[in-house]
Amino acid sequence: MIRATTLERMLVVLSDFVALSICFGLAFWVQFHSGWIADKFDPSRAFADYYHMGIVLNVGWLFLFVCAGLYRSWLLQSRTHQILRVLRAVVLGIILVILCLFGAEFLGKVMSNEPLNSGYLYGSRFPWIFIYGGFALCLVVSFRMIIYQCLRGLLRLGYGANNILVLGATEAGRKIAEELAKTPQRVIGFVDERYQVMDKEFAGVPVLGKYSDLPALIKSKKVSGIIIAHDSTSPQEIMRVLVWVCECAVHIYLVPELYQVIHGQFKANLVYGFELQELLPFTMPPWQVRVKRMVDICFGTFLGICSLPICLLAAIAIKLDDRGPVFYSQERIGLYGKPFFVYKFRTMRTDAEKFGAQWATKNDPRITRIGRFLRKTRIDELPQILCVLKGDMSMVGPRPERAVFIGKLREQIPFYISRLKMKPGLTGWAQVCHHYDTSTEDVKIKLQYDMYYYENMSLLLDFQILVRTVYVVLTGKGAQ
């Protein structure tokens, strides 16, 4: 069965293309055949001579809509919000159309040495352009509303519905289950810490387990979101939940009035007009996520080729320093808890962890002479470019951590596990702002930087971090 979000995107892209094609045809008729624009009335004009222009415009519109974030999932969002986003995109598109038309004529005049202050062919076509924009707005919005009405009907019948778990078999949980029954969500069960001593059904919905069962339930039931509906107002209650689910690819919602004590600590969004707020939402637009991956591949390939001489010199220096292996690999934890192996130039003695895993310390005696230089200049990180190209890492993101440390830190530091909602990076905001971890206090400081990056993730911030990384490499500041 096709998931609702997949079907949604397919239908919306198709409907936008059809709507834009119709509006181009209507605009053509208005300009040449309706007589509404007297100086452009020309019934001899055939649509067949202009349809290719319509296709080019449609492709441009679809690209603009992608950049405007109009192809994310809107099933749970306000219709008014979607209409306003479409309006903003259409207004921007019309401005671009005007700039392109007049820009093309302006360049033509420059190339042919004609006067630049008169004789513009498109000056009398403003009515056509605005009519075209009006048709685009009305048809795109109308087609989308029809599609979403149909999709919501299918979802209410259970086709492609999103599976939701409610945490807390309480009156608040009962109200949520009843309200969500009227939306494109399907509450498949409750999770409650009193699971062992309570009835296995509540509000007509099964009670499936307790907090520790969440990872298995999310995987087996294909859960897309959980809603925290406990009576407790303690932030520690949320921490206990996040410890179990932040490494899972699910949306986490709460009933805001139950948790006023933590108001302002999370970026919040209303969901489907229902009084729910999302914890730790992923704010980077989907198109930027795709561009970020393309940048990873292009920049990673370029950096890998350019750094080959440096890598060769580093390998020779390591061999001359203590004749041990040049590289070392180690298992790290990536996006949503997925393990992968990182590769680095070896900077410590071969017996550095004979007493078990431990953080590096200031003036750590285990670090070799050449290793100290490689760490200071970050050259030891260069082999991780392979992980970037494979897709296990990104150029920018939090530092990938080892499972043994994550197991300890997730219990000691609130929200530490939320780092797993991001793909780890070769460099990152925390890496350029703070030195290597030497204690739990360092981890807490770097977590603040990581959470800032998560909440403000964008291509512009990535570029800023890459520039600062060059500064760190050249000056050695921020590294240990």
Side-chain angles (χ1 to χ4, degrees), residues 1-4 7 151 153-162 186:
M1 180 183 292
I2 300 177
R3 289 193 63 82
L7 181 61
L151 282 176
L154 291 173
L155 287 167
R156 290 189 184 99
L157 296 175
Y159 182 88
N162 296 315
R186 179 171 58 190

Side-chain angles (χ1 to χ4, degrees), residues 54-85:
I55 294 176
V56 172
L57 277 172
N58 286 0
V59 172
W61 279 112
L62 295 181
F63 178 76
L64 176 62
F65 286 177
V66 169
C67 294
L70 290 178
Y71 294 122
R72 61 175 175 147
S73 178
W74 290 91
L75 278 170
L76 304 182
Q77 304 298 321
S78 164
R79 299 178 192 183
T80 304
H81 185 205
Q82 182 180 182
I83 292 172
L84 290 175
R85 291 291 291 271

Side-chain angles (χ1 to χ4, degrees), residues 10-172:
M10 292 169 56
L11 291 176
V12 169
V13 171
L14 179 61
S15 79
D16 284 351
F17 189 87
V18 172
L20 291 167
S21 298
I22 293 174
C23 85
F24 182 81
L26 289 172
F28 173 84
W29 177 83
V30 167
Q31 178 168 266
F32 295 119
H33 293 264
S34 69
W36 297 351
I37 306 176
D39 62 332
K40 297 300 178 183
F41 179 68
D42 187 357
S44 65
R45 298 288 182 98
F47 183 75
D49 297 329
Y50 290 86
Y51 77 91
H52 58 281
M53 184 186 300
I55 294 176
V56 172
L57 277 172
N58 286 0
V59 172
W61 279 112
L62 295 181
F63 178 76
L64 176 62
F65 286 177
V66 169
C67 294
L70 290 178
Y71 294 122
R72 61 175 175 147
S73 178
W74 290 91
L75 278 170
L76 304 182
Q77 304 298 321
S78 164
R79 299 178 192 183
T80 304
H81 185 205
Q82 182 180 182
I83 292 172
L84 290 175
R85 291 291 291 271
V86 173
L87 173 61
R88 185 175 69 178
V90 169
V91 170
L92 177 59
I94 292 303
I95 292 173
L96 291 175
V97 168
I98 293 173
L99 290 176
C100 288
L101 291 176
F102 280 90
E105 285 201 61
F106 180 83
L107 290 176
K109 289 179 179 295
V110 170
M111 298 296 292
S112 59
N113 293 319
E114 295 180 21
L116 302 180
N117 59 351
S118 63
Y120 286 93
L121 296 175
Y122 288 97
S124 61
R125 295 190 182 181
F126 274 111
W128 175 84
I129 294 172
F130 290 129
I131 289 171
Y132 175 62
F135 281 147
L137 175 63
C138 294
L139 290 176
V140 167
V141 167
S142 298
F143 279 38
R144 281 177 171 244
M145 293 303 103
I146 292 171
I147 284 177
Y148 282 106
Q149 192 64 31
C150 295
L151 282 176
R152 287 186 174 105
L154 291 173
L155 287 167
R156 290 189 184 99
L157 296 175
Y159 182 88
N162 296 315
N163 294 336
I164 300 293
L165 285 175
V166 176
L167 273 60
T170 63
E171 280 306 305

Side-chain angles (χ1 to χ4, degrees), residues 301-320:
T301 301
F302 175 77
L303 182 61
I305 294 173
C306 293
S307 64
L308 282 176
I310 298 175
C311 291
L312 180 60
L313 291 174
I316 294 172
I318 292 171
K319 273 296 183 183
L320 293 176

Side-chain angles (χ1 to χ4, degrees), residues 388-409:
V388 174
L389 297 178
K390 286 171 60 180
D392 293 325
M393 293 177 61
S394 176
M395 287 300 301
V396 179
R399 179 178 180 272
E401 194 52 88
R402 298 168 68 175
V404 61
F405 291 140
I406 288 178
K408 296 176 181 178
L409 295 170

